Each structure stands twice: as structure tokens, then as C-alpha cells.
Amino acid sequence: MGFAFKTDEALQKLLELSQKNSLPQILILDLFLGEESGIDLMRQLVKEFPSVNILVYSMFAKPGIVSIALECGAKGFVSKSAPEPELLTAIKTVLGGENYVQQNLVPPLFTYRTMLDSFTKQEQKVFKLLLERKSKIQIASELSIANRSLENYLSRIYSKTGCNGHEELIRKFGE
């Protein structure tokens, strides 16, 4: 069992384990990595170490983050506020080859996904990048869109979610 506190450290340890043919069956990932993105790390892990099952264990458990984590390849999601037996159940379930989402996170996840279905594809992309805490400059760059177009998407997203701005959107769907 090992620990890593930064993206580079995690990748280096997994690379070393990979070279020894001793990759773990499961990796428990906290999405809070200081200035680094746990979501970005997860995407990289899924790509470079597809045999490792990722179980997210995070204080960020709003439906938008749970959904993004699952879309990016997490096999399970448990909130840090959950009782310890919940984490143990998740580990056993994921090791058994099944996906697991903490029970009380499932209903808000369905509601969130229904709301997301009302967005256009581009609005969904912008919304998800906002929840990943990307800046407006990063979003415009990643999606290759002009700032004015981004502002139009944001306006429609705020209208559809009933939020008055970026911070409220993150509080409601991404923390």
C-alpha cells in the first residue's frame, strides 16, 4: 500500500509498480490535490493504467462531480462523510468487478443527469469544465471557442440551472 500527494508522485509510483508487474487492483483517489486536478489525474490513470480500478473517495460529492468522475472512468464513488463500512462495501464491490456509488448519492445523480439532458452538447461541455474548476480562459481554449460564445453558453447555463454565477453553480453541483 502506498500514498501519493501529487499527480507526478502518483504516476511515478504506478509506473514503478507497473515495471514490477505489481499494479494494485484498486486505487482510492481523493479529488482534492491542492492546485492539481484529481479529475485530470483520473483521466490519465485510466488511459495509462486501465487495469487499475479507481474508487473516488472525496469530500466533493455533489452530483456534478460524481457524474464527471464516473464518466472519466471511476468504478466507484464514496463521500468522505460516509460511515467507514460504506467505503469497505465500495472497495469489495469494485474489487468484485462491479461499479459502486454511495447509496444516498444516487437520487441526486439521476436528477442532475436529467437536468444535463436539457443542455446542448456544447453547454454540457462548458458546464462540466466549470465543475472541474477550469477558468473561463481554460474553457475557451479547451473548446476552441471565442470568449463571447463562452459568455453566451454561460448565460444559458445559469438560466437553466437557476444559478446567478460561477460560484453558485459550483456550490450547487460541484462541491
Side-chain angles (χ1 to χ4, degrees):
M1 178 163 55
F3 297 90
F5 297 98
K6 294 214 171 265
T7 298
D8 292 343
E9 185 182 355
L11 292 170
Q12 181 60 40
K13 285 185 177 189
L14 285 169
L15 183 59
E16 289 169 8
L17 290 171
S18 174
Q19 291 168 345
K20 296 176 186 174
N21 282 336
S22 61
L23 280 171
Q25 288 182 288
I26 192 166
L27 183 142
I28 300 174
L29 177 66
D30 186 349
L31 296 179
F32 181 72
L33 300 173
E35 297 298 313
E36 298 177 308
S37 167
I39 297 289
D40 288 342
L41 173 60
M42 185 171 20
R43 284 185 182 114
Q44 196 169 354
L45 293 172
V46 167
K47 188 173 156 185
E48 293 183 31
F49 305 100
S51 67
V52 177
N53 294 300
I54 298 172
L55 172 62
V56 175
Y57 184 57
S58 180
M59 66 182 183
F60 301 111
K62 293 282 174 109
I65 295 299
V66 175
S67 180
I68 290 169
L70 296 172
E71 287 172 18
C72 290
K75 300 296 183 188
F77 198 107
V78 176
S79 165
K80 283 189 175 181
S81 64
E84 191 174 297
E86 184 98 34
L87 179 61
L88 296 173
T89 300
I91 291 169
K92 289 175 187 172
T93 302
V94 170
L95 286 174
E98 296 180 45
N99 291 351
Y100 184 89
V101 176
Q102 180 179 324
Q103 214 53 51
N104 67 332
L105 299 179
V106 174
L109 184 59
F110 281 120
T111 302
Y112 166 81
R113 289 193 171 163
T114 300
M115 179 205 62
L116 202 58
D117 286 343
S118 72
F119 290 8
T120 66
K121 292 291 181 200
Q122 195 71 336
E123 288 169 350
Q124 287 179 15
K125 290 176 186 177
V126 169
F127 184 70
K128 289 175 185 178
L129 289 171
L130 281 171
L131 294 182
E132 290 181 39
R133 292 171 170 68
K134 304 278 181 164
S135 70
K136 289 181 182 180
I137 294 169
Q138 289 172 311
I139 294 169
S141 175
E142 280 190 41
L143 299 178
S144 301
I145 58 176
N147 287 337
R148 183 69 190 133
S149 295
L150 177 59
E151 291 300 329
N152 287 335
Y153 289 122
L154 290 173
S155 176
R156 291 196 300 263
I157 289 167
Y158 296 149
S159 175
K160 289 178 181 183
T161 60
C163 294
N164 293 316
H166 190 99
E167 292 80 19
E168 184 179 353
L169 194 75
I170 289 174
R171 274 193 312 275
K172 189 171 181 179
F173 298 102
E175 287 185 344

